[in-house]
Amino acid sequence: FRAKISRGLSRALIVTLGLLGVATIESAGQTLYLWMITAESQSVTVMSVAAAVLALASAIRQFAPMLAQPGKESWLSKLPMNVLLGAIGIPLLLLLLVAWQVVATTVFFQGQLPVGGANGLLITGAIEDAQRHYHLAVILFCLFGTVAAGMFLGFINLSSLQTMYSARITRAYLGASNANRFNQSAIQLRVTEPHVNDDFSRSAYYTNNHLGPAHIINVTINATTGSGDQLTQRDRQGIPMAITPAGVLVNGVPWKKTVAGQPDQALGAELTIGQWVGISGAAFSTGIGRGTGLGTALVFGLANIRLGWWWDSGQPAREYVWPMWRNQTFLDREFRAHFVGQDDSHWYLSDGGHYENTGVLELLRRRVGFIVCCDCGADPKYTYEDIANLMRLARIDFGAEFALISPDKAPVLATHAAEIDRYFANDEDDLAERPQGKNNKCALLYRVTFATSDANQPTECFVLMLKPRLIQDAPLDLFEYQIKNPNFPQQTTFDQFFDEAQWESYRKLGAMIGSRIFPS
């Protein structure tokens, strides 16, 4: 009974606040409209308001990602950012709704001062036929536009930045290995121009025609509510999903439809490799796994910093959604950080790092014998946040335990153990010593043992962690770059545009570390 009363009171409060919000928005919108049309210079006033709104939107888009992912040594990292972003996002939402109210009022009154009545400001009496027909046409047009926007589901993805981001990822990485770009008889394209053969399907990629490594592309199914378990919804707020040669796997299980007497049928919409990689690499969006919050979703949504993807899973929705309101429903879920996981026909996918950032978890799931991991998440204080999360998830999900060992204990490295031992840290604190460059420590080696194992699976594996760190053998230019940039080589991943010095510094350091650990 107490729970029923609490739920009823909660609904009543929500309805009351909703009505109060509608009244506030309507009053503010009509007041702003009257102020603009009664100003001495209407055009200047309208342009000033529009310029102020555009400047605000531009500032939000520029600084929102920086606020959502502040540097770990920044004073911003000590503040409750989700609360602060919520305090910014709610007024922004109200401002957006007031702007739409002004537009609606302008269309309704045709940009004129409302007339009629004793005070000259209120509409009273009958409206002329022409005006009535105009208002009816406006209402019908708005209804048609709303229904059309809701029914064409491609709009929800095309209206985000994901398509542009995937196109850039495709040109930068897949395009670089497109032989047709270097064909002497073909038209030479600039590096920024797309080519028809840059991208290809998943089935074409995972074939014998491609001799490169078989990549596992990790993404996260965002889940903050729904019928899933409470651990997922309250803490992880996501479910791991992997695109592999065996198809799409959800939490390690193939996403297929099984029918008695028939071969399994793969479910879900087919995306290209470029699209999958674009989803996997997009760090900022309204849904970011365990970092999802109302404040972040509101600010990112209003600034249209939306890099996730609504993926058609191929299964029917557990809750009915009106076809004419599908886009609006999904957009509402993004703004409210209300993701139902696998309960709907469409799942909201985002960066695989929103669940586990190193990518090692899927390899441990497969009991790969020797794993090399480059732990390249920004970690200037060497607190090992990503490695710690990996250990925690592996222990909970697989019963796996990590133990730090020396290279002579791993069969793969035993032959060269004496030669490479000086590059391995005795414990994690060795890599955190300051100043850097006083020794060559840059690697950790773990033996991972599993509590249970099937007959055909190994009971242990080895994980080699390479940690970016300025080593003693580095040349002068790398030390000079670190003097100017103290966080090198652990600068924030928010920086997506490297200049020549930054690019070469990271490239050279990575090449040196790799050649030391794996001598020819």
Side-chain angles (χ1 to χ4, degrees):
F1 176 76
R2 183 198 59 79
K4 291 180 179 179
I5 292 296
S6 297
R7 284 194 293 268
L9 178 61
S10 175
R11 294 191 187 99
L13 287 173
I14 291 173
V15 171
T16 302
L17 289 174
L19 292 174
L20 179 62
V22 169
T24 302
I25 292 165
E26 183 184 25
S27 298
Q30 293 192 14
T31 301
L32 183 60
Y33 169 76
L34 288 173
W35 172 69
M36 288 192 300
I37 66 172
T38 55
E40 293 184 2
S41 177
Q42 292 187 17
S43 59
V44 173
T45 302
V46 172
M47 292 180 65
S48 299
V49 172
V53 172
L54 289 174
L56 180 61
S58 178
I60 293 170
R61 175 167 290 189
Q62 180 71 26
F63 295 108
M66 195 177 302
L67 291 174
Q69 191 186 50
K72 296 178 182 177
E73 291 185 334
S74 168
W75 62 272
L76 287 171
S77 63
K78 300 176 176 62
L79 300 176
M81 294 309 303
N82 196 47
V83 176
L84 293 179
L85 287 171
I88 297 172
I90 292 174
L92 285 175
L93 178 62
L94 293 175
L95 181 62
L96 177 65
L97 295 175
V98 168
W100 278 108
Q101 174 63 29
V102 171
V103 172
T105 305
T106 303
V107 172
F108 186 82
F109 292 121
Q110 303 179 56
Q112 302 297 320
L113 187 70
V115 294
N119 57 10
L121 292 177
L122 299 176
I123 293 180
T124 59
I127 302 175
E128 296 180 357
D129 288 343
Q131 231 178 352
R132 186 182 297 110
H133 293 157
Y134 167 78
H135 291 152
L136 180 60
V138 169
I139 292 172
L140 291 176
F141 175 79
C142 291
L143 286 176
F144 174 79
T146 302
V147 172
M151 293 188 68
F152 295 103
L153 197 57
F155 173 80
I156 192 69
N157 288 323
L158 293 176
S159 65
S160 72
L161 297 177
Q162 174 52 231
T163 301
M164 181 193 73
Y165 184 79
S166 294
R168 292 194 174 190
I169 291 289
T170 299
R171 291 202 301 271
Y173 295 98
L174 302 183
S177 58
N178 178 10
N180 292 314
R181 280 183 173 271
F182 309 102
N183 189 339
Q184 296 299 321
S185 62
I187 299 176
Q188 297 299 306
L189 296 175
R190 295 172 58 89
V191 69
T192 55
E193 291 295 318
H195 188 279
V196 67
N197 297 121
D198 283 347
D199 207 355
F200 33 81
S201 67
R202 181 184 61 82
S203 58
Y205 181 59
Y206 293 121
T207 64
N208 293 332
N209 295 328
H210 292 268
L211 302 181
H215 291 96
I216 297 176
I217 305 172
N218 294 308
V219 298
T220 298
I221 305 170
N222 284 266
T224 59
T225 185
S227 62
D229 61 86
Q230 292 296 301
L231 175 63
T232 295
Q233 295 175 10
R234 295 181 179 274
D235 185 70
R236 301 181 179 184
Q237 299 190 104
I239 302 167
M241 177 173 164
I243 289 70
T244 73
V248 175
L249 276 66
V250 177
N251 211 4
V253 179
W255 183 241
K256 295 180 178 180
K257 181 179 181 180
T258 301
V259 179
Q262 299 180 12
D264 288 345
Q265 178 184 357
L267 291 176
E270 283 290 347
L271 303 181
T272 66
I273 289 295
Q275 289 175 306
W276 283 121
V277 173
I279 296 169
S280 177
F284 300 108
S285 194
T286 47
I288 49 176
R290 66 179 71 249
T292 302
L294 178 60
T296 305
L298 263 180
V299 172
F300 279 19
L302 291 171
N304 202 34
I305 305 176
R306 300 167 45 238
L307 289 166
W309 185 269
W310 287 97
W311 183 65
D312 186 354
S313 67
Q315 74 168 11
R318 295 186 181 180
E319 295 182 7
Y320 181 75
V321 177
W322 284 10
M324 65 181 64
W325 298 103
R326 288 192 301 177
N327 277 321
Q328 291 88 335
T329 300
F330 294 151
L331 197 60
D332 170 71
R333 290 176 182 174
E334 282 197 58
F335 276 56
R336 293 191 297 124
H338 187 86
F339 302 105
V340 298
Q342 296 176 256
D343 280 3
D344 209 332
S345 60
H346 288 73
W347 304 347
Y348 191 72
L349 308 181
S350 64
D351 187 348
H354 296 155
Y355 187 84
E356 197 278 305
N357 204 33
T358 68
V360 172
L361 192 69
E362 289 297 325
L363 300 178
L364 292 178
R365 187 193 302 277
R366 292 157 177 78
R367 308 292 174 92
V368 175
F370 186 74
I371 302 168
V372 180
C373 172
C374 299
D375 180 26
C376 295
D379 188 15
K381 291 187 176 180
Y382 291 82
T383 57
Y384 303 97
E385 180 180 350
D386 290 336
I387 298 178
N389 182 55
L390 167 67
M391 291 180 175
R392 187 180 304 113
L393 291 173
R395 183 186 305 117
I396 295 171
D397 293 353
F398 309 141
E401 294 291 347
F402 285 66
L404 195 64
I405 61 173
S406 57
D408 61 300
K409 300 294 194 307
V412 177
L413 301 176
T415 305
H416 301 284
E419 182 181 355
I420 64 177
D421 184 69
R422 63 195 182 104
Y423 300 105
F424 284 78
N426 296 319
D427 57 48
E428 290 85 355
D429 290 339
D430 284 353
L431 301 185
E433 290 182 1
R434 296 292 182 95
Q436 295 187 20
K438 298 298 183 182
N439 57 53
N440 286 308
K441 306 294 185 183
C442 57
L444 298 164
L445 182 62
Y446 294 96
R447 175 190 282 118
V448 183
T449 56
F450 298 91
T452 60
S453 180
D454 296 337
N456 296 326
Q457 290 183 322
T459 58
E460 68 175 18
C461 66
F462 298 89
V463 178
L464 171 58
M465 288 283 182
L466 300 180
K467 193 74 173 176
R469 188 173 182 274
L470 188 61
I471 58 178
Q472 190 174 24
D473 293 348
L476 174 64
D477 61 297
L478 268 65
F479 283 92
E480 184 269 345
Y481 185 82
Q482 191 187 56
I483 291 173
K484 293 181 178 178
N485 303 273
N487 281 343
F488 171 79
Q490 296 289 344
Q491 291 166 290
T492 174
T493 52
F494 176 69
D495 182 8
Q496 300 276 304
F497 301 95
F498 284 17
D499 57 22
E500 183 180 23
Q502 188 176 18
W503 179 272
E504 174 58 19
S505 297
Y506 278 98
R507 187 207 65 80
K508 179 61 178 176
L509 181 62
M512 290 188 65
I513 290 175
S515 64
R516 267 56 171 184
I517 300 298
F518 302 103
S520 57

